Amino acid sequence: MSSASDKPRVAVIGLGSMGYGMALSLLRAGFTVTGCDVSAAAVKRFVGEGGQGAATPAEAAKAADIVVSVVVNAAQTEAILFGTGGAAETLARDAVFISSATMDPEVARRLAKQLEATGRHYLDAPISGGAQRAAQGELTILASGSAAAFARARPALDAMSAKLYELGDAAGQGAAFKMINQLLAGVHIAAASEAIAFAARQGLDIRKVYEVITASAGNSWMFENRVPHVLDGDYTPRSAVDIFVKDLGIIQDMARTAKFPVPVSAAALQMFLMTSAAGMGRDDDASVARMYAQVTGTALPGETK
């Protein structure tokens, strides 16, 4: 581990399952890292790991060369930047703000333009890979922005990612790539949930179904990753139902603007909406299988008819 004195100072705003792992990866790579979150307990936990803590984005950004924002959506990103106590109040000129939230590309372009007008840099850099890969520093990062933004952000990007895709010289491209990923991810989770619940309704041994499908052409990364949550009856949120309510909703908005039909993702959105409306919005997104089971009177592990 190299000395933190020869590395840029980093602030990570948003210490949820993804942000916390990213902050730990940066610490492990030898950076001085300040963590900030609405949860004081999360900040305290991070300080216990050897990081520093801040109460507001402005406080976190004050001593940072790189700010990594790991929040849920565009509204939270905008508040972190430009709200009361926001990072733009204190962020040094020529510092870079790395935005990892999934959002509409048009919003990413607007936020970048607003921040860049103040002399700071904005890198549109949504992430993929899940909490475990975040903690291992092995995320896939889908980034776009100016050459200067990439240059300033690169030390942190390298510490957080296994794959870094440079997708354009302006904000918005990274966000657009991420939305295509989310379209597929949401559809695949809904399809996996439908398939495993349907298998259970047929009276099949669903553990054997999992074994067979993961060795067959019908497999997908999401089937392989999410169905074990159903088999174990464990819906502790790794990624919540409401994340896909948001993301598939953004896809519908983008498609409507482009006058492009997206009927398959629209159907998947309805299943996530139904699951959320049934009180499972904050549960693991494999809970779509529970919704199928509840509607049809099908028993799944850990659930009753």
Side-chain angles (χ1 to χ4, degrees):
M1 183 181 294
S2 59
S3 169
S5 63
D6 60 0
K7 292 178 178 287
R9 299 160 299 175
V10 184
V12 178
I13 301 175
L15 297 175
S17 59
M18 296 293 287
Y20 197 88
M22 293 160 74
L24 288 181
S25 292
L26 290 161
L27 272 181
R28 193 166 54 246
F31 291 87
T32 297
V33 186
T34 300
C36 178
D37 195 90
V38 292
S39 166
V43 176
K44 182 178 180 180
R45 180 184 168 207
F46 182 64
V47 171
E49 297 275 7
Q52 299 178 10
T56 67
E59 182 184 345
K62 188 173 183 179
D65 304 298
I66 301 169
V67 173
V68 185
S69 173
V70 197
V71 293
V72 172
N73 56 31
Q76 290 183 3
T77 304
E78 186 164 15
I80 282 171
L81 269 174
F82 303 114
T84 303
E89 293 180 6
T90 59
L91 189 62
R93 297 285 177 141
D94 223 29
V96 62
F97 182 88
I98 302 174
S99 173
S100 295
T102 300
M103 66 180 72
D104 188 308
E106 286 297 329
V107 178
R109 283 188 275 270
R110 176 175 60 81
L111 293 176
K113 183 178 180 180
Q114 189 173 350
L115 185 65
E116 288 167 354
T118 71
R120 286 87 163 207
H121 303 281
Y122 184 104
L123 193 72
D124 175 23
I127 53 180
S128 183
Q132 182 175 349
R133 290 184 186 177
Q136 294 169 341
E138 295 178 352
L139 288 171
T140 296
I141 300 180
L142 314 176
S144 65
S146 68
F150 270 110
R152 284 158 180 76
R154 193 169 302 280
L157 297 173
D158 289 344
M160 297 185 293
S161 66
K163 293 183 179 179
L164 170 64
Y165 290 100
E166 299 184 29
L167 301 172
D169 60 4
Q173 288 296 99
F177 271 82
K178 179 61 185 293
M179 294 319 304
I180 300 303
N181 180 78
Q182 294 306 90
L183 185 158
L184 288 165
V187 167
H188 289 173
I189 291 169
S193 297
E194 180 173 295
I196 202 66
F198 187 50
R201 182 58 182 269
Q202 300 305 304
L204 302 179
D205 177 345
I206 59 174
R207 289 192 176 274
K208 183 60 70 173
V209 169
Y210 178 75
E211 178 184 342
V212 169
I213 296 302
T214 54
S216 303
N219 190 35
S220 68
W221 192 92
M222 284 300 187
F223 185 95
E224 193 163 341
N225 183 265
R226 296 308 203 265
V227 169
H229 306 173
V230 179
L231 300 180
D232 295 339
D234 179 7
Y235 298 96
T236 304
R238 289 78 160 181
S239 174
V241 167
D242 281 344
I243 294 293
F244 279 97
V245 171
K246 171 184 69 74
D247 291 355
L248 291 174
I250 292 171
I251 289 162
Q252 301 307 305
D253 293 340
M254 292 169 63
R256 184 166 53 251
T257 298
K259 294 184 171 59
F260 188 93
V262 284
V264 178
S265 63
L269 172 59
Q270 292 305 310
M271 291 312 302
F272 283 102
L273 279 169
M274 192 183 303
T275 306
S276 182
M280 293 179 275
R282 295 186 178 181
D283 294 343
D284 190 82
D285 50 32
S287 293
V288 174
R290 296 159 77 194
M291 172 52 60
Y292 275 105
Q294 289 178 16
V295 168
T296 61
T298 301
L300 290 175
E303 301 291 310
T304 56
K305 291 185 181 180

